Amino acid sequence: LGRARATTARRAVLDDAQPDPLLPELRAALATGRTARIGLTVHYQAVVSLTDGAVVGVEALARWEHPVLGSISPTRFIPLAEQHGLVGALGEVVLRQACAEMAALRAATGRGLLLTVNVSGHQFCDPAFPTVVAGILAGTGWPAADTVLEVTESLVEADSPVAVAALRGLRRLGVQVAIDDFGTGYSSLARLDTLPADYLKLDATFTATVVTSARRARLVRSVVALAEGLDLLVIAEGVETAEQADLLRELGCELAQGFGLHRPSPVAGLAAVLAGEGQTSTVPPLRQ
Ligand code: C2E
Ligand code: MG
Ligand code: MG
Ligand code: MG
């Protein structure tokens, strides 16, 4: 975390020289609670079972459809929010909207789903975070047990007692935890053993190369076996082709998400996917 902070500080210095024009707008919207007015919203990407294609959950992804500038990538505005102390407030808005929309969808359809939400390092290490999460769950009626908070491997790899305490605090609420982008950070087997997590999200780089290298495929099979032994479920990220889905299934990976399965969409799009589920075959609707 020390290194992460130093990097953030360096970036902040650079930013002071060339301030991002989006910053004042983001800051003002978060301060007044008018994030919808500047186009901030949440999209959902289905997480499917590779066995039968059924949607078992969704990942909430922050979106910014700027009224003038058009779509702004979260890879730009999330780090911007992080560097300027706004990511806690932004994350809260995303979590609240996601829980509220998913609770309404459940009420309308009776359909049970898991909801996974990304959490940034700063947000996560705020000692007030578990209280914030508990408040949002109570306010929206979305169950803790169906909530999965995604943290990145680099965050949990930083051997920080704060991070481990935060993970434990969240799990006491009954919330589950996923390690996002797994395989891209610096994992140690000892860390994996002591980490209180429930899911490993296998980074998209593995999905992309699993079909091009037999060695990669064996590596993924081993990761799945390792996860199984530790009671962790693997979700493969970035599945774009039927070939990738088939091979991942053969390698023992049960869950996946990706553009080839379902693209992220507003909640209405997700509702349409769920409504179509019963009528079509159970094979994942893969596009090549
Ligand atoms: P992530 O959590 O690893 O999310 C997966 C990203 O991969 C998403 O990008 C998603 O749209 C994209 N994706 C899904 N399937 C495919 C595929 O088949 N191929 C490819 N090439 N990409 C795919 P997105 O939405 O641009 O988000 C980027 C990152 O921004 C996320 O990575 C996450 O780290 C961060 N992020 C997004 N929303 C939030 C948020 O609400 N809070 C925080 N703290 N971070 C967020
Ligand atoms: Mg994620
Ligand atoms: Mg990821
Ligand atoms: Mg990723």
Side-chain angles (χ1 to χ4, degrees):
L1 280 182
R3 196 172 48 198
R5 244 180 239 125
T7 311
T8 304
R10 266 198 305 280
R11 274 202 213 115
V13 169
L14 289 175
D15 278 5
D16 284 346
Q18 200 124 67
D20 191 314
L22 291 172
L23 182 60
E25 209 171 342
L26 183 60
R27 183 175 277 144
L30 287 168
T32 56
R34 291 178 176 163
T35 47
R37 193 171 291 187
I38 63 164
L40 273 173
T41 186
V42 181
H43 283 193
Y44 302 89
Q45 183 174 38
V47 177
V48 306
S49 156
L50 283 174
T51 321
D52 60 8
V55 178
V56 298
V58 294
E59 177 174 11
L61 294 162
R63 290 290 178 265
W64 190 352
E65 272 309 318
H66 192 280
V68 178
L69 302 172
S71 167
I72 297 157
S73 169
T75 58
R76 176 169 170 201
F77 69 81
I78 297 285
L80 181 71
E82 242 164 46
Q83 286 152 34
H84 296 276
L86 300 173
V87 82
L90 177 57
E92 231 178 289
V93 168
V94 171
L95 183 63
R96 185 170 293 110
Q97 183 176 338
C99 289
E101 288 187 330
M102 292 303 289
L105 186 67
R106 171 171 297 189
T109 63
R111 179 74 153 72
L113 290 174
L114 276 180
L115 168 64
T116 81
V117 183
N118 294 284
V119 173
S120 90
H122 292 81
Q123 200 183 355
F124 187 77
C125 291
D126 177 353
F129 185 57
T131 314
V132 168
V133 173
I136 290 174
L137 294 175
T140 58
W142 181 256
D146 297 333
T147 309
V148 184
L149 297 177
E150 298 191 4
V151 296
T152 59
E153 204 182 357
S154 51
L155 169 71
V156 287
E157 276 313 310
D159 210 346
S160 145
V162 181
V164 173
L167 277 172
R168 295 229 166 89
L170 288 167
R171 282 169 49 111
R172 263 197 300 277
L173 294 177
V175 165
Q176 303 188 76
V177 173
I179 311 298
D180 203 357
D181 305 335
F182 181 77
T184 59
Y186 304 92
S187 315
S188 82
L189 294 176
R191 276 310 271 163
L192 256 192
D193 181 33
T194 52
L195 257 178
D198 306 278
Y199 294 87
L200 284 189
K201 298 195 73 169
L202 188 67
D203 193 73
T205 51
F206 292 92
T207 301
T209 51
V210 82
V211 288
T212 57
S213 149
R215 210 180 144 83
R216 264 303 166 105
R218 289 196 295 273
L219 179 68
V220 168
R221 191 195 292 282
S222 308
V223 170
V224 171
L226 177 71
E228 238 167 47
L230 297 174
D231 273 334
L232 295 160
L233 275 171
V234 176
I235 304 175
E237 300 192 272
V239 174
E240 294 185 348
T241 69
E243 194 191 0
Q244 290 167 351
D246 290 342
L247 186 52
L248 285 164
R249 187 189 304 114
E250 274 168 39
L251 295 172
C253 183
E254 284 172 43
L255 302 170
Q257 60 189 103
F259 293 164
L261 296 158
H262 296 283
R263 286 191 173 260
S265 73
V267 71
L270 172 67
V273 166
L274 295 177
E277 253 194 338
Q279 290 143 40
T280 55
S281 84
T282 52
V283 176
L286 275 166
R287 292 181 294 264
Q288 282 288 359

